[in-house]
Amino acid sequence: DVKVTQSSRYLVKRTGEKVFLECVQDMDHENMFWYRQDPGLGLRLIYFSYDVKMKEKGDIPEGYSVSREKKERFSLILESASTNQTSMYLCASRANYGYTFGSGTRLTVV
Amino acid sequence: GNSVTQMEGPVTLSEEAFLTINCTYTATGYPSLFWYVQYPGEGLQLLLKATKADDKGSNKGFEATYRKETTSFHLEKGSVQVSDSAVYFCALSEGRIQGAQKLVFGQGTRLTINP
C-alpha cells in the first residue's frame, strides 16, 4: 500500500513564526498536493507539484510556499504564521490509479 | 471555474435507514467524479469513482451514478450502519495535463448514524 506520511499530527505555533509541514510518500509518485480543510469549506488546494523542483499555485497560495527537492518529499512552508492559518492540512500524492492522502496535520497558530 | 456543491450537513440517521447525500457539479469538459470518506482522526479515503457519463461507482454498499444531464453524482446506501459515521466529500478532477490533474472538493457532509 502507498503511504503518505505527514510528520506531525498536531502543531501549535506562535504568530509570526516560520512553520514547516513535511510530507513524504514512498511510491515514487510524481504528483503531490497540499490542501487545507476547514469546516463548511471542504478542501482547498494550496499548492501542487508534478515533478521535482516543479510547483504550481493552487486556489489559495497566499501566505504559503512549497519546496520539492526530492521526489518523495513535499514541504509546505508558512512564511509568517497568522491565526487565520489555523486549520487542518492534508498532503496527497497521485498515481494513475488515484490519490492517496496523509492523515493530516492540525495546526493551531496562537 | 469548476466547482462542487454538496448538501449541507450534518445528517443524522438511525441504523438501517436509507441514505442520500446530494452532489452537483459545474465543470467544463468531462471530469471524473469521486466520493471520499474521512473517518474521525484520519485522512481521506477513496470510496468510489466514475469516469464517464452513466457510469455507476460502488463500494461497501454505497453507490453513485454519473448523471451528465443533471450534472449530479448523488451518494446512496440502502441500509446504513453506525460504522458509516464519517465526513463524506464529493470531488471532481480537473486539468488538461495528465500529470497535473487536481481534485476540486465540495464542502463535505458530516454523517452520524445512531444505533
Side-chain angles (χ1 to χ4, degrees), chain B residues 48-115:
Chain B
L48 53 83
K49 69 176 183 180
T51 58
K52 61 183 188 295
D54 300 325
D55 266 3
K56 178 186 282 189
S58 61
N59 186 25
K60 299 181 181 180
F62 290 89
E63 294 183 339
T65 301
Y66 190 144
R67 301 282 189 203
K68 185 166 174 290
E69 63 277 11
T70 54
T71 62
S72 64
F73 193 55
H74 304 321
L75 182 69
E76 296 182 337
K77 186 174 186 182
S79 177
V80 292
Q81 307 299 314
V82 172
S83 57
D84 295 326
S85 299
V87 181
Y88 292 81
F89 292 92
C90 185
L92 63 81
S93 63
E94 66 173 15
R96 295 171 305 194
I97 305 169
Q98 178 71 16
Q101 282 194 344
K102 302 170 286 181
L103 288 175
V104 176
F105 287 88
Q107 62 268 51
T109 302
R110 181 174 298 278
L111 173 67
T112 301
I113 307 300
N114 294 322

Side-chain angles (χ1 to χ4, degrees), chain A residues 51-90:
Chain A
D51 204 348
V52 175
K53 296 192 186 291
M54 304 297 286
K55 57 188 179 186
E56 287 207 20
K57 294 179 180 178
D59 299 317
I60 52 164
E62 296 78 18
Y64 303 94
S65 63
V66 290
S67 172
R68 185 124 184 247
E69 296 295 320
K70 294 184 178 180
K71 184 181 273 191
E72 67 269 20
R73 185 180 296 271
F74 190 37
S75 303
L76 179 69
I77 304 159
L78 285 66
E79 298 291 343
S80 177
S82 64
T83 55
N84 62 14
Q85 292 178 309
T86 291
S87 186
M88 170 72 86
Y89 291 87
L90 289 168

